Amino acid sequence: MTDRTIVAGVAIDTRHWIGGRRVGSAETFTDHSPIDGAVLGEIARGGAAEADAAMAAAKAAFPAWAATPRAERARLLHAIADGVEKRLEELAIVETSDNGALLRSHRRGVMPRVAHNFRFFADWLLQLEHEDFETRGHTNHVSWDPAGPCVLITPWNAPLMLSTWKVAPALAAGNTVVLKPAEWSPLTASLLADIAAEAGLPAGVLNVVQGYGGEVGSALVSHPDARRISFTGSVPTAKAIAAAAAANLTPLSLELGGKSPLLVFADADLDLAVDLAVEQYDNAGQVCLSGTRLLVESSVAEEFTRRFVAKASALQQGDPRDEATDIGPNIHQRQLEKIDGFVQRALTAGARAVIGGTPNEELGGLYYRPTLLTDVAQDSEIVQEEVFGPVLVLQTFDTEDEAVRLANDTRFGLAATVATGDRERAERVGAQLVAGTVWVNCFFVRDLQAPFGGSRESGVGREGGDWSFDFYCDVKNTVTAPNGWRNHG
């Protein structure tokens, strides 16, 4: 068994990264490219032993890293960002090969954002403070103490960006990290370990353990030395993680699924609204924030649909490495079958496919046609459950109150998008929507200083800016009396 693989000319170590060195496992799992099914490598498959080793390394490295001055921690995070930028093209092509997202997106947006994640939290750390305040003459001083080893479990749809969204603030806060990447897209996490080591990050501060959630993942989230757990993924997995963490009262941050609405009012700029709706097919629909439920005011629904079909039909589906491609493959055969199952059950129940509705027979493999379904009931599975594929549903409404009612009528609450030309309506509707993020006449505008998370079954907690440090730290208040000091000559 080889410990390395070559993907698009890039050498990648397929072993874990624990305590500043590469560690193999007795077993491996096979990583396939969703583009063409090619084998990308045999990846070390961790279990309880590797989880224990990684947690031990993180625990041992924690005291020194927690005591490292803020300025030095920030310097190292900037050095990691430098390393990401130096290897941006390699990271982009490897991630495209591994998860099938567009290469042009990785080059222009995703990998630059990876570097920005490190730079942002490095800089935020240096200005993190709370003004002292007085209580009956006593001084209150708020500080953020590092919490300890953090277990970070990340998804496959934006592997490196979402990993570093957690890794960067956890490290900035003075914690050590055990990162468990998704088994369907593990490769760039291994490259991140190399970049961090080259930047000078001390051994044991960042550890990467690969494998299946039910094996090494379960061992990590139930580990008594884990002081924080952050997870992005599905609701059922989150419930299992929460149950495991409960035994140790380990604090959790959970960013979960969504079934977000996109509300289009008759007074909206329809061309803008159509652009926003078609954008929901980004990453082959594998975006938790996607507004997959198009709620369109009845008086403009026919015209909206006509324009939508024209624009969506012009999307180019194919190899994500091609600059002309707009939609690539879905991640895995299991995911493709799940997507098609949702669509076929909806069609059997009476839904109508305006466009799409099947895998792309011309391309074969894991490519699913961009799909829009209408004639769907509010309580139907296709309206209520997250598909996580290029599948949208269109419903109509007649009044603002009805639009809000339909928008809020799921168990999720991750995001919402509103298209309207009326500022007062935007404020009124936005205030009533159950969502962690509301976009008005825009989509996917994300600032790292803003709180991010979901309501209801879309998550627990918020991260970003101060909220990240509030989660990854033990926030302390020190109260000092105004007198009682002794003078020492």
Side-chain angles (χ1 to χ4, degrees):
M1 181 189 75
T2 178
D3 294 330
R4 285 159 58 93
T5 189
I6 306 294
V7 175
V10 181
I12 305 166
D13 200 304
T14 56
R15 295 171 293 176
H16 314 287
W17 178 255
I18 299 175
R21 65 186 184 89
R22 290 292 175 176
V23 176
S25 288
E27 295 185 76
T28 64
F29 63 93
T30 305
D31 183 29
H32 294 270
S33 173
I35 300 172
D36 54 12
V39 173
L40 298 178
E42 295 296 325
I43 314 299
R45 178 176 169 179
E50 289 82 358
D52 285 341
M55 292 304 300
K59 184 177 182 180
F62 173 67
W65 181 244
T68 300
R70 285 187 178 191
E72 176 61 9
R73 295 206 301 265
R75 184 192 70 78
L76 285 166
L77 292 186
H78 276 292
I80 295 173
D82 292 342
V84 169
E85 290 171 347
K86 180 180 178 181
R87 301 186 67 177
L88 189 146
E89 180 65 21
E90 293 181 4
L91 292 167
I93 188 62
V94 169
E95 188 127 300
T96 290
S97 301
D98 206 13
N99 87 325
L102 300 184
L103 179 56
R104 72 179 193 221
S105 295
H106 281 139
R107 283 172 170 158
R108 299 170 192 171
V110 177
M111 294 308 159
R113 169 62 184 272
V114 168
H116 179 61
N117 284 345
F118 285 104
R119 296 200 192 282
F120 173 87
F121 286 107
D123 293 341
W124 199 268
L125 169 66
L126 296 181
Q127 58 86 51
L128 182 68
E129 63 178 353
H130 189 293
E131 186 176 345
D132 289 354
F133 57 97
E134 299 293 319
T135 304
R136 297 189 301 277
H138 295 64
T139 300
N140 292 265
H141 176 73
V142 176
S143 58
W144 286 262
D145 292 353
C150 298
V151 172
L152 311 178
I153 300 181
T154 54
W156 45 260
N157 58 322
L160 193 58
M161 192 271 282
L162 291 177
S163 292
T164 56
W165 157 252
K166 300 174 187 296
V167 170
L171 295 181
N175 299 315
T176 52
V177 164
V178 179
L179 170 65
K180 206 295 279 186
E183 56 266 29
W184 286 352
S185 56
L187 298 180
T188 50
S190 182
L191 293 176
L192 177 64
D194 293 337
I195 291 170
E198 291 165 7
L201 194 70
V205 173
L206 171 65
N207 306 274
V208 178
V209 181
Q210 301 150 155
Y212 296 121
E215 297 173 357
V216 70
S218 295
L220 288 171
V221 298
S222 61
H223 202 284
D225 290 332
R227 296 314 314 136
R228 293 293 187 273
I229 298 170
S230 182
F231 168 74
T232 297
S234 71
V235 173
T237 301
K239 290 181 178 180
I241 289 173
N248 300 309
L249 292 179
T250 308
L252 292 163
S253 177
L254 305 173
E255 196 265 280
L256 309 177
K259 195 69 178 179
S260 300
L262 193 165
L263 291 74
V264 179
F265 289 92
D267 56 21
D269 177 334
L270 272 195
D271 286 333
L272 171 63
V274 167
D275 287 346
L276 293 174
V278 173
E279 193 176 348
Q280 309 310 309
Y281 289 131
D282 182 47
N283 200 18
Q286 298 169 142
V287 178
C288 57
L289 293 163
S290 288
T292 55
R293 294 185 294 133
L294 308 182
L295 304 176
V296 184
E297 194 162 350
S298 299
S299 60
V300 296
E302 184 176 345
E303 179 62 17
F304 172 90
T305 303
R306 184 186 69 78
R307 297 190 198 184
F308 177 92
V309 169
K311 191 171 185 67
S313 297
L315 294 173
Q316 297 297 309
Q317 189 167 33
D319 192 321
R321 296 166 295 194
D322 188 331
E323 278 282 319
T325 297
D326 298 306
I327 298 182
N330 291 100
I331 184 72
H332 193 275
Q333 183 64 34
R334 203 160 75 213
Q335 185 67 15
L336 187 81
E337 291 171 358
K338 176 185 174 185
I339 294 165
D340 194 46
F342 272 113
V343 172
Q344 298 313 313
R345 289 192 297 273
L347 293 174
T348 299
R352 179 172 65 91
V354 180
I355 58 171
T358 62
N360 191 323
E361 301 86 355
E362 297 174 10
L363 295 174
L366 302 180
Y367 295 85
Y368 203 89
R369 294 185 184 278
T371 296
L372 176 66
L373 302 178
T374 60
D375 301 334
V376 293
Q378 179 61 24
D379 62 353
S380 64
E381 177 191 57
I382 198 67
V383 171
Q384 294 293 325
E385 298 298 328
E386 183 178 44
V387 177
F388 221 61
V391 178
L392 310 181
V393 298
L394 189 151
Q395 299 168 273
T396 60
F397 63 86
D398 294 314
T399 67
E400 186 178 298
D401 287 345
E402 184 184 11
V404 171
R405 178 181 60 79
L406 291 172
N408 289 337
D409 188 22
T410 74
R411 59 194 175 94
F412 297 105
L414 188 55
T417 302
V418 180
T420 178
D422 186 329
R423 182 183 296 272
E424 291 183 358
R425 167 174 278 159
E427 294 174 354
R428 189 169 57 243
V429 170
Q432 297 177 75
L433 294 174
V434 179
T437 300
V438 177
W439 286 289
V440 178
N441 295 328
C442 61
F443 176 67
F444 216 47
V445 178
R446 290 276 306 277
D447 192 310
L448 288 179
Q449 64 184 313
F452 180 74
S455 303
R456 296 177 176 167
E457 289 196 17
S458 286
V460 175
R462 296 291 184 270
E463 295 187 46
D466 282 353
W467 291 274
S468 284
F469 287 95
D470 288 346
F471 172 69
Y472 286 110
C473 292
D474 290 323
V475 183
K476 178 192 294 179
N477 185 43
T478 301
V479 184
T480 304
N483 47 36
W485 305 109
R486 293 184 179 181
N487 292 324
H488 298 278

